[in-house]
Amino acid sequence: MHSTLSFSRATTVPTTNYAFHSQSPINLRFCGLRREAFGISILTRSSSGRVRLSTRGRSKRISASTGNNGTPPKSFDYDLIIIGAGVGGHGAALHAVEKGLKTAIIEGDVVGGTCVNRGCVPSKALLAVSGRMRELQSEHHMKALGLQVSAAGYDRQGVAGHANNIASKIRSNLTNSMKALGVDILTGFGTIVGPQKVKYGKVGFTDNVVTAKDIIIATGSVPFVPKGIEVDGKTVITSDHALKLEFVPDWIAIVGSGYIGLEFSDVYTALGSEVTFIEALDQLMPGFDPEISKLAQRVLINPRKIDYHTGVFATKITPARDGKPVIIELTDAKTKEHKDTLEVDAALIATGRAPFTNGLGLENINVVTQRGFVPVDERMRVIDANGNLVPHLYCIGDANGKMMLAHAASAQGISVVEQVTGRDHVLNHLSVPAACFTHPEISMVGLTEPQAREKAVKEGFEISVAKTSFKANTKALAENEGEGLAKLIYRPDNGEILGVHIFGLHAADLIHEASNAIALGTRIQDIKFAVHAHPTLSEVLDELFKSAKVKAPASTSSPISEPVAA
């Protein structure tokens, strides 16, 4: 998630309202596995010494798409301009400098964007507090460890201050890192005015026009609020407001049970609130692997002060006023008939995010958004209204909708920089991991079991599933945190990893071994030879891969332990 300014109209809808991933299986497969470049790649060197790449035989032709917007400039102020200084823009900028590009980044709000200021970072600060509160409040857990702790309490203002301070610190670090490396930070809202031309400036001040050989759009997203919901920022709030923790309601309704809703349910219940989920689909956590969802519901929802309504829309939400509570009208998702009315102290709208692409000047280069998302190919190159590639223009992160995760945006930005400096690169989105930082955590990479089975039917192969429990892991038992499951979905014929899903202690850290294996094309029969320290949680993955039954032999290049001399 990247930097945002404001969102004047809710003209777009998120890819899915209440799912964890903001991406359907079809779109994920469209991104494709890493593969060789199409056709023949030819490297040429310009008079300035820069390496350029041209590729024959690509599926889309490049069109200038200039119309009446002028011609590209002959010389440039910068090699690369990035519109948006969120995690994606920051990652692209740092990689561009490393590659020797003269780089500028345009930011109209604050460096760090949504992730640092209104998303990942402050939410993890709140979750760190909720995790400790939950542990201290568990008398059974403490007694099992032989510990005695007096009643736990918290200072709301101190908790909110912790979240704000960490966001401020990381924002400062991002800014300093770019300045130290020579990235020019241009303040103001960026608008594309023509091929390789961008204007920027603050409201009420004269705009500046700069040119660049290549431009990356990295403007991110904003919370999506469905029609009929009135947000007052106090009793009816989005995640942006909730992160400020201005008050802890006795009873809060959370609309949407994806990762945002789940994480906030963890925070609010740990701090003493009762939670009611409102989910449009027939089951909670619809974007997760079904088996993981079932286990997570048993651990994260059923034992806590949480109830839920599924298969319903919150068609109207009225903020608390004049002594009246927040009023929520529920409508059956299938029949569209009124089903119930709730009265609560507060409501959190966690229905996904919408791309922030209004005012970018896309009409000046003949680009039309799709539900607000900028259309791109697998190399993040922007596609115009005629289906042609817009030269030297890319879009990364939430604004293109391929995978609405901060680290995915950063990876896309790095991939783009690789391309503009002469090395063709296609990001394998199926290797990008995701995590939900509840207690315990949930993490995943690749396909869910239903997605994998659908793919297997279409492409004509078999899949197998392997599982391991945290209850068999020494380190988890030592921590008295044996509740957890790791699940591997794979092809038994060749050992290809299709997906890995983990629910348990530090699941967000454990997923990367599987993620890297998918990215590098490592097969199960080879990764079985990897050595893990004992006793560690990583052995959950070690046992998982070892339990898989693969028909293909290990490659001849697999590492073999050599005898140690006495």
Side-chain angles (χ1 to χ4, degrees):
M1 299 178 199
H2 307 162
S3 56
T4 60
L5 291 174
S6 61
F7 193 59
S8 58
R9 298 172 57 209
T11 56
T12 60
V13 295
T15 15
T16 177
N17 280 354
Y18 308 135
F20 178 87
H21 285 297
S22 300
Q23 191 73 33
S24 68
I26 293 176
N27 286 336
L28 280 173
R29 287 196 291 272
F30 170 74
C31 298
L33 298 176
R34 186 177 307 230
R35 54 192 179 273
E36 298 298 324
F38 300 147
I40 302 173
S41 298
I42 303 173
L43 293 178
T44 60
R45 188 172 298 276
S46 68
S47 58
S48 62
R50 290 188 60 216
V51 176
R52 296 174 181 171
L53 171 74
S54 62
T55 304
R56 297 175 183 170
R58 290 180 180 171
S59 59
K60 294 184 181 295
R61 67 184 185 275
I62 295 180
S63 167
S65 300
T66 56
N68 296 320
N69 300 311
T71 57
K74 294 181 179 180
S75 61
F76 304 97
D77 299 311
Y78 294 96
D79 294 316
L80 179 66
I81 288 178
I82 304 163
I83 305 174
V87 171
H90 175 264
L94 266 56
H95 194 58
V97 171
E98 181 183 328
K99 291 288 186 175
L101 301 184
K102 183 181 180 182
T103 305
I105 195 163
I106 299 174
E107 179 50 64
D109 189 5
V110 286
V111 170
T114 295
C115 177
V116 172
N117 300 287
R118 300 173 296 278
C120 327
V121 172
S123 67
K124 300 311 158 293
L126 294 182
L127 285 159
V129 172
S130 71
R132 284 168 173 77
M133 280 294 294
R134 198 170 295 285
E135 186 173 22
L136 292 172
Q137 290 169 345
S138 176
E139 185 178 352
H140 174 75
H141 177 75
M142 286 298 177
K143 281 187 175 181
L145 295 173
L147 299 175
Q148 296 178 355
V149 180
S150 59
Y154 68 91
D155 171 32
R156 181 201 59 78
Q157 205 165 9
V159 174
H162 169 58
N164 180 67
N165 290 340
I166 191 69
S168 177
K169 181 178 181 180
I170 293 179
R171 181 170 61 246
S172 177
N173 289 344
L174 292 181
T175 303
N176 292 338
S177 67
M178 288 192 292
K179 287 182 177 179
L181 291 172
V183 177
D184 287 350
I185 300 176
L186 311 178
T187 303
F189 182 75
T191 302
I192 299 170
V193 294
Q196 299 167 287
K197 294 180 184 179
V198 178
K199 71 175 182 179
Y200 71 95
K202 293 183 177 180
V203 177
F205 292 86
T206 303
D207 287 333
N208 301 285
V209 176
V210 287
T211 61
K213 174 68 171 60
D214 295 288
I215 298 170
I216 297 177
I217 297 170
T219 47
S221 63
V222 293
F224 171 74
V225 180
K227 293 181 180 179
I229 297 178
E230 182 185 346
V231 174
D232 67 348
K234 296 179 180 179
T235 59
V236 180
I237 59 178
T238 67
S239 56
D240 286 2
H241 306 109
L243 291 167
K244 298 177 183 177
L245 201 70
E246 293 184 347
F247 83 112
V248 178
D250 293 332
W251 184 11
I252 183 168
I254 299 179
V255 184
S257 62
Y259 76 100
I260 297 175
L262 274 179
E263 289 185 349
F264 275 107
S265 76
D266 196 290
V267 171
Y268 280 119
T269 53
L271 299 183
S273 300
E274 294 185 24
V275 170
T276 295
F277 273 121
I278 299 172
E279 173 57 56
L281 298 181
D282 292 332
Q283 64 181 37
L284 295 176
M285 296 174 277
F288 295 88
D289 182 88
E291 189 170 8
I292 296 296
S293 294
K294 185 177 180 180
L295 176 58
Q297 182 172 332
R298 180 170 65 81
V299 176
L300 299 177
I301 293 178
N302 295 346
R304 300 177 182 178
K305 293 181 179 179
I306 299 176
D307 65 356
Y308 51 88
H309 299 265
T310 57
V312 295
F313 288 116
T315 49
K316 186 177 181 181
I317 300 182
T318 306
R321 59 171 66 100
D322 301 326
K324 296 180 180 180
V326 174
I327 300 175
I328 304 175
E329 295 183 14
L330 302 181
T331 300
D332 188 281
K334 295 178 180 177
T335 67
K336 311 304 179 187
E337 296 178 354
H338 177 77
K339 191 169 184 179
D340 203 353
T341 299
L342 301 180
E343 294 184 352
V344 296
D345 299 309
L348 168 62
I349 314 305
T351 50
R353 299 186 66 83
F356 179 64
T357 53
N358 285 351
L360 270 175
L362 296 174
E363 66 280 1
N364 296 328
I365 47 173
N366 193 32
V367 173
V368 178
T369 60
Q370 300 171 359
R371 294 174 299 146
F373 295 106
V374 177
V376 297
D377 70 356
E378 73 271 16
R379 290 174 174 80
M380 309 302 128
R381 298 177 296 187
V382 174
I383 302 170
D384 72 11
N386 299 320
N388 300 320
L389 296 173
V390 180
H392 306 288
L393 182 64
Y394 303 82
C395 179
I396 65 173
D398 289 9
N400 71 34
K402 279 187 174 288
M403 183 174 273
M404 299 178 79
L405 297 167
H407 49 280
S410 182
Q412 290 172 2
I414 291 171
S415 178
V416 168
V417 172
E418 286 291 292
Q419 294 170 54
V420 302
T421 54
R423 178 177 178 265
D424 192 34
H425 184 271
V426 177
L427 174 66
N428 175 9
H429 284 76
L430 287 177
S431 72
V432 178
C436 184
F437 294 85
T438 47
H439 298 89
E441 296 173 344
I442 309 172
S443 63
M444 64 217 67
V445 66
L447 303 175
T448 63
E449 185 175 342
Q451 290 169 351
R453 293 196 181 279
E454 180 185 351
K455 180 181 176 70
V457 170
K458 288 183 178 180
E459 299 182 13
F461 60 83
E462 294 182 359
I463 69 165
S464 293
V465 175
K467 304 171 193 174
T468 52
S469 172
F470 278 62
K471 292 178 181 177
N473 180 265
T474 303
K475 185 64 161 59
L477 294 177
E479 298 277 352
N480 195 31
E481 295 282 358
E483 193 71 75
L485 173 74
K487 177 177 180 178
L488 167 67
I489 306 156
Y490 66 99
R491 288 183 57 164
D493 59 334
N494 62 12
E496 179 185 358
I497 300 170
L498 300 175
V500 174
H501 303 262
I502 309 173
F503 174 73
L505 184 66
H506 295 303
D509 298 309
L510 296 176
I511 196 64
H512 297 95
E513 182 172 357
S515 171
N516 291 336
I518 293 176
L520 297 172
T522 307
R523 301 299 169 119
I524 295 169
Q525 59 268 36
D526 294 323
I527 204 172
K528 284 183 177 185
F529 287 96
V531 180
H532 299 72
H534 175 77
T536 62
L537 292 171
S538 71
E539 291 175 293
V540 170
L541 272 294
D542 186 34
E543 293 299 323
L544 183 66
F545 291 127
K546 282 181 168 61
S547 68
K549 307 300 182 183
V550 180
K551 300 173 184 177
S555 66
T556 56
S557 61
S558 295
I560 299 176
S561 298
E562 297 181 356
V564 178

